[in-house]
């Protein structure tokens, strides 16, 4: 297996200095997700705001413990969704999920996933796909919880 | 190196998979034997021969193949009984794995409010969760032996833990994460003083130590076939006959009954009482062959080999800056599994880098989350050896760790 296709420089950069890390206020939902097979964990908060133009993801903050792939993925995810309309953010989640489940056959769209395209190689390592998806799944869960609460008012 | 198996080359030839060349042209370096061991040709052949020539259901088939199959299956039970030095072959129950064997005991052992079960912080989840379920269901109390900083059982409060009313003391003989070999005979003695039964998880002990159920005076002992060079899908519960006779059945179905009427059923004597349904016949025969194989090499010799390799591994790890070994640093107190941390690199990433060089290790919590928590680590990397492991494979691991450090620039 080609290691450098897995450990792209962009991934290692995000791993060494993750963006938006740490837990912050305010937030409307906090979730805790674990990868039961390996024990990777993430606690993640989302702060959404209703605007005339729609619901906007104002902040995503997180505390993640895990490997380089899961840490870098949280960093890239936060970069991608913060400041976006919630529907756009969720569509980026869809695009990332499709990429990860594509067994290396899916061509990622850089306009949608930006630094996230560096994870294309991860899809060829089935054992690591869950690492890459952990924080994305947590984000989606938290965002949908807020939506279900009907918050923010 | 003292203690290595003298015919290591010959032994390695018994394991066809060790010839395997992996992606990138790397010869397999298999250091994940505590997870599952590799299988010698004799085990593979015994299973294939059974399927090709003798396959039939056991006990209930009135024909020649049925008789051959039954005989082979029961011969495997005799082999296991000899291996454990069990007083009676009827005390050997075949299960699916160690997990099922532990669940069998935890599910059927009578417990009630006011009773106590004592386990340890170094248990595999399979010797934790069944007892959590059993104590929750029955209202009994669950207590834990803690661990010392060097990864041994903390017995300083044993008088407080083992009090009258304690019904079960369940512990691992050898830790799958810390490698620690526990003083099981001493704990059994203390448990018996207060009338508790002792359940030993020998999943990591059976592959590499002589396991004599009478010498340690255990009440129940479990192990799993796939770690003793046998196949998956087969495990063993041994229990003292009078205890097994007193327990209610675990699973109901065919083969475990004396008679069934529409009003009521009665149970077959042990071992059948606990072997409902068609058992894993081919797997039991494979397990029998596996135990013959490791017994032929000799458990004392395997133990010496494991200790020599483990000592060499600990020395090697000590040369790698940033490595912290979890568990005893003295190889004589350990089995052949060493979990460690490498500063600045997550275990997944270590395992991935090693895999790219053909070296198989385990990364994660190894189904021992409480033990990891005790040492303040979320995950670790574990290298585990067996009777086919060579010093050169340990060298490859140590080189691989240096390569990993370079790759991640730590
Ligand atoms: C100490 C210990 N107990 C129990 C088990 C469970 O074995 P199995 O999964 O085969 O039931 C294992 C193996 O993973 C183990 O190492």
């Amino acid at each position: 297996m080609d290691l450098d296709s897995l450990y792209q420089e962009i991934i290692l950069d995000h791993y060494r200095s993750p963006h938006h890390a740490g837990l912050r206020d305010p937030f409307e939902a906090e979730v805790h997700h674990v990868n039961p097979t390996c024990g990777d964990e993430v606690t993640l908060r989302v702060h959404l705001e209703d605007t005339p133009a729609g619901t906007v993801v104002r902040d995503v903050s997180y505390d993640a413990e895990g490997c380089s792939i899961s840490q870098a993925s949280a960093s890239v995810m936060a970069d991608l969704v913060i400041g976006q309309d919630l529907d756009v953010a969720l569509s980026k989640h869809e695009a990332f999920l499709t990429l990860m489940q594509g067994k290396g056959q899916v061509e990622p769209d850089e306009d949608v996933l930006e630094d996230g395209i560096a994870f294309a190689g991860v899809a060829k390592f089935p054992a690591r796909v869950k690492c890459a998806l952990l924080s994305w799944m947590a984000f989606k869960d938290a965002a949908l919880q807020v939506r279900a609460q009907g918050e923010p008012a | 190196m003292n203690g290595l198996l003298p015919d290591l080359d010959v032994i390695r030839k018994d394991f066809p998979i060790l010839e395997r060349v992996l992606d990138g042209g790397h010869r397999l370096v298999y250091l994940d034997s505590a997870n599952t061991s590799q299988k010698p040709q004799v085990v593979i052949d015994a299973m294939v021969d059974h399927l090709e020539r003798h396959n039939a259901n056991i006990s209930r088939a009135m024909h020649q193949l049925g008789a051959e199959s039954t005989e082979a299956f029961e011969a495997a039970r005799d082999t296991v009984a000899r291996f454990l030095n069990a007083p009676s072959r009827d005390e050997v129950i075949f299960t699916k794995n160690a997990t099922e064997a532990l669940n069998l005991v935890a599910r059927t052992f009578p417990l009630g409010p006011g009773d106590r079960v004592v386990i340890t912080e170094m248990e595999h989840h399979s010797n934790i969760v069944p007892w959590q379920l059993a104590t929750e269901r029955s209202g009994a109390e669950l207590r834990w032996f803690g661990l010392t900083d060097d990864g041994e059982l903390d017995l300083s409060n044993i008088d407080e833990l083992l009090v009258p009313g304690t019904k079960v003391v369940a512990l691992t003989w050898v830790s799958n994460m810390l490698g620690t070999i526990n003083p099981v005979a001493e704990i059994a003695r203390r448990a018996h003083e207060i009338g508790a039964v002792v359940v030993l998880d020998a999943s990591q002990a059976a592959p590499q130590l002589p396991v004599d159920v009478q010498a340690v005076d255990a009440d129940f002992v479990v192990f799993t076939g796939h770690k003793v060079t046998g196949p998956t899908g087969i495990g063993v519960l041994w229990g003292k006959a009078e205890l097994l006779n007193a327990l209610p059945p675990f699973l109901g179905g065919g083969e475990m009954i004396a008679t069934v009427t529409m009003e009521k059923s009665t149970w077959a004597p042990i071992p059948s009482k606990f072997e409902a349904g068609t058992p894993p016949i081919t797997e039991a025969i494979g397990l029998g062959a596996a135990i013959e194989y490791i017994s032929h090499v000799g458990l004392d010799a395997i133990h010496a080999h494991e200790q020599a390799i483990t000592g060499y591994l600990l020395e090697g790890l000590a040369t790698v800056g940033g490595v912290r070994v979890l568990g005893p640093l003295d190889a004589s107190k350990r089995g052949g599994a060493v979990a460690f941390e490498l500063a600045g690199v997550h275990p997944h990433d270590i395992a991935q880098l090693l895999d790219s060089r053909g070296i198989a290790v385990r990364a994660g919590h190894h189904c021992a989350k409480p033990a990891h928590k005790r040492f303040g680590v979320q995950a670790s990397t574990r290298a585990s050896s067996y009777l086919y492991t060579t010093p050169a494979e340990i060298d490859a691991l140590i080189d691989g760790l240096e390569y990993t450090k370079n790759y991640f620039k730590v």
Side-chain angles (χ1 to χ4, degrees), chain B residues 34-35 96-100 102 122-127 172 174-176 201-204 222 224-227 234 362 366-367 382:
Chain B
N35 200 351
K96 186 171 65 169
N97 47 32
T99 303
E100 189 183 62
L102 289 165
M122 68 166 83
E123 296 314 304
H124 186 278
H125 294 167
S126 59
N127 201 24
T172 193
V174 176
S175 160
N176 68 313
D201 177 358
S203 298
Q204 296 292 344
V222 313
T224 197
H226 64 95
K227 295 189 207 271
I234 184 85
R362 184 157 175 196
H366 323 310
C367 301
R382 183 184 70 187

Side-chain angles (χ1 to χ4, degrees), chain B residues 110-117 135 138-143 161 163-168:
Chain B
L111 290 171
D115 291 344
R116 178 183 281 194
V117 173
T135 50
S138 62
E141 173 194 31
L142 184 62
R143 298 287 299 269
L161 283 171
V163 293
T166 306
K167 291 290 157 63
V168 177

